[in-house]
Amino acid sequence: MDIKFDIANLKGFIEKKEWDDIVPQVKKAHEELVNKTGQGSNFTGWLDLASRTDNALLDELKILGEEVRENSDCIISLGIGGSYLGIRATVEFLIADQKIPIHYAGNNLSSGYLYHLLKGLEDKRVTIVVISKSGTTTETALAFRIIKEFMEKKYDANELKKRIICVTDQEKGALRKSINSEGYRSYPIHDDVGGRFSVLCPAGLVSLALAGLDIHQLIEGARDAEKAFDEMDLEKNIAYQYAAARYLLYKKGKKIEVLSTFYQRLSYVAEWWKQLFGESEGKDGKGIFPASLNLTADLHSMGQLMQEGERNVFETFLMVEDSGHKMIIPPAEENLDNFNCVAGKDLDFVNKQGYKATSSAHYEGGVPNMTITLPNCQAHALGQLYYFFQKAVAITGYLIGVNPFNQPGVEAYKKKMFALLGRE
Ligand code: PA5
């Protein structure tokens, strides 16, 4: 496995005996998950989604992307939650490979945001992808109404059929009805895959293929991870080590997990991770609160609290071994800032020393921490990481004793909002 996992900074927080004692519980969670006997098992289609994905579909999406990029200046990807975060996380991480600008809509209810977005696209050739599993989500449905009107002013009905692509349930929902009546191109979202687990199905893949990203390698990475994280051996399975460590720390009162990244391109992976972990674990009065920090920037804002605040936090660092591009620090004759010590070095060298210093200082300050390291900024590594986190959250969810695959709590505000809007 290319991903590395380091737990040296858990020493003193989790004892050897606790690791040994947790094995039977992890084994039970593993068996419930893979045998599909645990809670929410009808939403565990993500377990072997990558290996079930037909390469022919990936080839078809790659060709669709090439076609769309020939007649478009940009893409608008409409969706929210699981129909948005994985796409944005992937696009931002693979930024170097992106072949066309991609804008996002349907992920907020801000008039100003949509006004400025559409204003800026008046003279552009636009293709839109509307993603909604339920086909009824407020933000996506309303953005689609407004953007559809914008598209109808630009294009005739034939052109719209090419420029509006929908990703939704195979049979149900308002979006499926529009597809049937208007003849838009469409791709189905799997029944057995929940929104936050759907980045590797058409919910994520269509927009990613249009952006020109390597979806074959993304899926290949997840396929490799399926095999690597399948074995029930806590010594070998790093996804299970991460899951078990999180659970043991939670039981000791560490109720908040901070995912700290030292790379800008990982900041939306952290957003995706927050949804995956928050929505999967936060129920029945339980759950670790997932937060994230962009370092080193947030060391100048949240660093104080991490170092000396209430000790109810643990931290997971997300690092990259080969960050891709080099940015060499030049020497300065007068050395006024006293930084000639790093002249001739890549900026990433300093970044990595920043990580070493931070993980050690936080550890000494009472924050147990772990580090996940990706080999590089390629699609294959990201596919592995997505699967690593999905597998881990399923196991911690079962250890905590919740159904990691539902999200009943998100209905409460919707009911109140629909009542205020007079919507049936
Ligand atoms: O994880 C989830 O199920 C949610 O975050 C959904 O992805 C989100 O609410 C969007 O739902 P839909 O794709 O049905 O529009």
Side-chain angles (χ1 to χ4, degrees):
M1 181 49 30
D2 300 334
I3 298 180
K4 293 192 180 121
F5 186 52
D6 182 347
I7 52 169
N9 285 348
L10 295 181
K11 201 165 166 222
F13 290 95
I14 300 177
E15 302 306 327
K16 164 96 178 61
K17 182 169 177 345
E18 293 172 286
W19 283 111
D20 294 341
D21 289 350
I22 195 74
V23 170
Q25 286 178 67
V26 175
K27 187 163 185 280
K28 182 169 173 277
H30 165 81
E31 279 163 7
E32 282 175 356
L33 183 64
V34 299
N35 297 333
K36 299 191 185 267
T37 52
Q39 294 189 66
S41 60
N42 48 337
F43 279 104
T44 50
W46 55 272
L47 268 171
D48 58 351
L49 176 65
S51 52
R52 277 190 291 140
T53 300
D54 196 340
N55 281 337
L57 170 70
L58 303 179
D59 295 341
E60 182 188 325
L61 292 177
K62 187 173 179 226
I63 293 167
L64 175 73
E66 285 160 2
E67 268 173 32
V68 166
R69 290 196 298 279
E70 260 175 37
N71 66 18
S72 308
D73 299 312
C74 67
I75 311 295
I76 310 179
S77 185
L78 283 87
I80 195 164
S83 299
Y84 157 64
L85 287 164
I87 296 167
R88 187 146 191 185
T90 311
V91 170
E92 306 241 335
F93 184 70
L94 302 177
I95 190 92
D97 308 324
Q98 187 183 347
K99 296 194 175 71
I100 190 170
I102 178 156
H103 304 283
Y104 301 95
N107 59 336
N108 62 64
L109 291 169
S110 161
S111 305
Y113 174 85
L114 209 47
Y115 173 84
H116 287 293
L117 174 66
L118 297 181
K119 191 94 191 123
L121 300 182
E122 269 169 4
D123 303 328
K124 304 282 185 205
R125 299 171 303 155
V126 179
T127 293
I128 71 169
V129 188
V130 193
I131 310 141
S132 179
K133 187 174 183 199
S134 61
T136 56
T137 301
T138 310
E139 292 85 344
T140 313
L142 296 182
F144 184 40
R145 276 193 186 211
I146 294 168
I147 295 176
K148 193 171 157 226
E149 185 181 61
F150 166 85
M151 296 290 280
E152 281 166 352
K153 285 187 189 146
K154 277 166 107 64
Y155 303 112
D156 65 24
N158 263 342
E159 197 62 19
L160 284 177
K161 280 187 202 163
K162 281 191 241 153
R163 290 182 179 275
I164 298 181
I165 303 169
C166 302
V167 187
T168 190
D169 186 272
Q170 182 95 48
E171 288 162 9
K172 306 183 292 285
L175 199 51
R176 179 53 60 190
K177 285 188 191 141
S178 299
I179 295 163
N180 294 341
S181 61
E182 311 278 346
Y184 301 140
R185 280 198 266 207
S186 74
Y187 290 89
I189 300 183
H190 300 60
D191 275 345
D192 56 356
V193 178
R196 58 190 174 276
F197 289 84
S198 69
V199 59
L200 300 173
C201 83
L205 295 177
V206 175
S207 295
L208 297 176
L210 265 51
L213 302 175
D214 193 341
I215 54 172
H216 287 77
Q217 276 307 305
L218 189 70
I219 292 292
E220 205 50 49
R223 285 175 185 157
D224 288 348
E226 277 179 24
K227 287 181 216 131
F229 303 138
D230 189 37
E231 65 178 317
M232 184 32 245
D233 182 344
L234 204 49
E235 297 265 317
K236 293 193 186 138
N237 190 332
I238 57 173
Y240 287 8
Q241 286 170 21
Y242 175 55
R246 297 179 71 252
Y247 173 68
L248 290 169
L249 291 167
Y250 175 65
K251 292 305 252 181
K252 290 171 182 235
K254 306 287 182 193
K255 306 282 185 191
I256 300 168
E257 179 177 10
V258 176
L259 188 74
S260 294
T261 64
F262 275 78
Y263 295 90
Q264 212 59 37
R265 64 201 311 168
L266 280 166
S267 64
Y268 266 90
V269 171
E271 295 302 314
W272 170 85
W273 171 89
K274 281 193 268 190
Q275 186 201 359
L276 180 68
F277 281 70
E279 222 168 37
S280 299
E281 293 174 356
K283 52 200 70 159
D284 307 334
K286 302 176 189 170
I288 300 166
F289 187 94
S292 66
L293 293 180
N294 283 315
L295 305 183
T296 57
D298 288 339
L299 289 176
H300 300 257
S301 60
M302 297 291 285
Q304 173 61 38
L305 186 143
M306 289 302 289
Q307 193 64 46
E308 297 182 345
E310 189 173 344
R311 303 296 72 184
N312 55 356
V313 183
F314 66 97
E315 192 169 19
T316 302
F317 291 96
L318 190 49
M319 294 299 292
V320 178
E321 217 158 282
D322 176 3
S323 66
H325 305 285
K326 288 211 180 308
M327 196 50 80
I328 303 299
I329 302 162
E333 206 171 310
E334 294 177 354
N335 195 22
L336 294 176
D337 57 12
N338 222 5
F339 272 121
N340 269 356
C341 53
V342 288
K345 300 253 192 232
D346 181 13
L347 192 57
D348 191 51
F349 167 78
V350 183
N351 203 23
K352 290 199 162 81
Q353 307 319 304
Y355 150 70
K356 283 184 194 162
T358 308
S359 56
S360 159
H362 288 180
Y363 174 63
E364 285 167 15
V367 178
N369 58 71
M370 315 172 248
T371 301
I372 301 162
T373 306
L374 296 176
N376 52 41
C377 298
Q378 309 283 327
H380 188 270
L382 188 61
Q384 290 181 19
L385 183 71
Y386 283 149
Y387 194 82
F388 170 91
F389 279 138
Q390 290 176 343
K391 198 78 192 278
V393 81
I395 295 296
T396 321
Y398 281 162
L399 289 173
I400 289 176
V402 298
N403 174 353
F405 307 115
N406 66 3
Q407 56 286 327
V410 299
E411 296 309 314
Y413 92 93
K414 287 186 195 167
K415 276 190 199 138
K416 285 183 184 286
M417 185 170 78
F418 291 159
L420 291 171
L421 296 174
R423 184 183 188 266
E424 283 178 17

